[in-house]
């Protein structure tokens, strides 16, 4: 980012406040004033004034190092937003589960991890269950890869460098170069696959929800034996349609 964003018809101070919060989140939740100035292009006195206001309200806190971190009051906002997002997503996930027979999920990128915000389980006795609210490393999940495929390459590199790429199974992608190759394939094909990379014997397909501000995706997952019988030529267009429809509803609701 080379300079401050222009006001888009709203209140400029509010736009700047949320811009700084997003920059802090992009940086891993903690950042120095000088870094915010470089990233946003805003004057240091303006940034300092906004940060003092956020600290006073509990939405940011100042560390002993003088760096600023995201504050605890944001947790309540995030939890409430996640519940609302899950409620919006559930009818679309229900259709996906009905037509595929497998568990469907919606998840969002939060920092360097994926957080599951909604799920509709399969009716099979053997099915995949991911608790809503569970956090997992983005690099080892189909949803995480689908979201990263829509991010700038340098942002992906920075995120993976901060988070590390711990192997979850022997199939987990554990190098940044290999991940960029995988993301290029995802952009070309339009969907991501987790082929036993998070859990042995589990396969997952995911697509990004276009235009979702937090970086979101929907997925289906199940035992590898059943999932390999699902034809991607049929299920991926269905998932992409549902993701577009969900994106449209989120845009209308915003």
């Amino acid at each position: 980012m080379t300079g401050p964003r222009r006001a888009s018809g709203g209140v400029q101070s509010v736009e700047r406040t949320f811009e700084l919060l997003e920059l802090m989140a992009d940086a891993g939740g903690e950042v120095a004033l000088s870094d915010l100035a470089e990233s946003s292009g805003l004057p240091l006195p303006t940034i300092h004034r906004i940060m003092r206001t956020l600290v006073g309200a509990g939405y940011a806190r100042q560390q002993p190092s003088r760096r600023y971190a995201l504050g605890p009051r944001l947790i309540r906002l995030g939890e409430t937003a996640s519940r609302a997002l899950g409620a919006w997503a559930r009818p679309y996930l229900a259709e996906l589960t009905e037509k595929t027979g497998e568990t469907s999920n919606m998840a969002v990128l939060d920092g360097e991890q994926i957080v599951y915000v909604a799920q509709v389980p399969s009716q099979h006795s053997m099915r995949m269950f991911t608790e809503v609210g569970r956090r997992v490393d983005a690099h080892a999940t189909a949803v995480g890869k689908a979201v990263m495929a829509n991010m700038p390459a340098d942002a992906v590199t920075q995120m993976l460098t901060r988070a590390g790429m711990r192997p979850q199974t022997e199939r987990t992608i554990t190098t940044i170069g290999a991940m960029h190759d995988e993301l290029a394939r995802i952009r070309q094909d339009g969907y991501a696959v987790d082929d036993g990379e998070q859990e042995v014997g589990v396969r997952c397909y995911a697509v990004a929800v276009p235009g979702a501000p937090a970086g979101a995706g929907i997925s289906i997952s199940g035992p590898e034996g059943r999932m390999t019988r699902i034809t991607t030529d049929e299920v991926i267009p269905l998932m992409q349609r549902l993701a577009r429809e969900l994106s449209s509803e989120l845009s209308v609701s915003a």
Side-chain angles (χ1 to χ4, degrees):
M1 188 176 300
T2 58
R5 297 176 184 171
R6 299 294 182 185
S8 57
V11 179
Q12 187 181 57
S13 61
V14 175
E15 292 179 340
R16 288 174 169 177
T17 298
F18 282 109
E19 179 183 353
L20 295 179
L21 288 171
E22 289 178 0
L23 289 172
M24 292 174 69
D26 291 343
E30 184 178 323
V31 69
L33 280 182
S34 58
D35 295 329
L36 286 176
E38 181 179 354
S39 298
S40 68
L42 296 171
L44 269 174
T46 299
I47 296 173
H48 189 252
R49 185 169 60 251
I50 292 172
M51 296 309 300
R52 280 190 304 176
T53 302
L54 289 172
V55 169
Y59 294 110
R61 52 193 171 88
Q62 191 169 27
Q63 308 285 62
S65 63
R66 310 299 294 173
R67 293 165 64 87
Y68 286 90
L70 296 174
R73 291 196 68 183
L74 291 171
I75 296 173
R76 176 173 173 270
L77 297 181
E79 290 176 344
T80 303
S82 292
R83 287 195 296 270
L85 187 59
W88 282 323
R90 206 158 286 115
Y92 301 94
L93 299 182
E95 180 178 349
L96 184 56
T97 293
E98 179 184 358
K99 292 185 175 178
T100 64
E102 300 297 343
T103 297
S104 58
N105 300 281
M106 182 175 186
V108 298
L109 182 67
D110 182 21
E112 290 90 35
Q113 291 188 305
I114 286 293
V115 181
Y116 290 91
V117 297
Q119 180 181 88
V120 174
S122 166
Q123 296 302 307
H124 290 290
S125 57
M126 180 181 294
R127 60 179 183 266
M128 308 320 300
F129 177 77
T130 299
E131 183 180 0
V132 171
R134 182 188 178 195
R135 305 174 70 92
V136 295
D137 292 337
H139 73 283
T141 66
V143 171
K145 292 190 290 184
V147 169
M148 286 191 290
N150 285 338
M151 294 169 55
D154 59 343
V156 171
T157 297
Q158 292 170 16
M159 186 183 84
L160 295 177
T161 300
R162 288 194 305 266
M165 301 180 70
R166 294 181 296 275
Q168 306 297 324
T169 73
E170 63 180 12
R171 296 183 180 180
T172 307
I173 297 174
T174 56
T175 67
I176 291 176
M179 181 58 73
H180 280 299
D181 291 342
E182 174 77 350
L183 298 182
R185 183 202 65 76
I186 292 168
R187 284 189 289 270
Q188 178 177 343
D189 294 347
Y191 68 97
V193 180
D194 164 8
D195 188 11
E197 297 159 52
Q198 176 69 30
E199 296 182 44
V200 175
V202 176
R203 189 174 178 87
C204 178
Y205 300 125
V207 301
V209 177
I218 60 174
S219 67
I220 57 169
S221 58
E224 189 174 7
R226 285 206 311 263
M227 291 293 291
T228 53
R229 295 196 293 268
I230 293 179
T231 304
T232 55
D233 289 345
E234 295 179 0
V235 73
I236 298 305
L238 168 63
M239 295 177 69
Q240 291 171 335
R241 174 180 65 78
L242 293 172
R244 288 193 302 270
E245 292 176 358
L246 176 56
S247 177
S248 296
E249 179 167 338
L250 293 176
S251 298
V252 170
S253 302

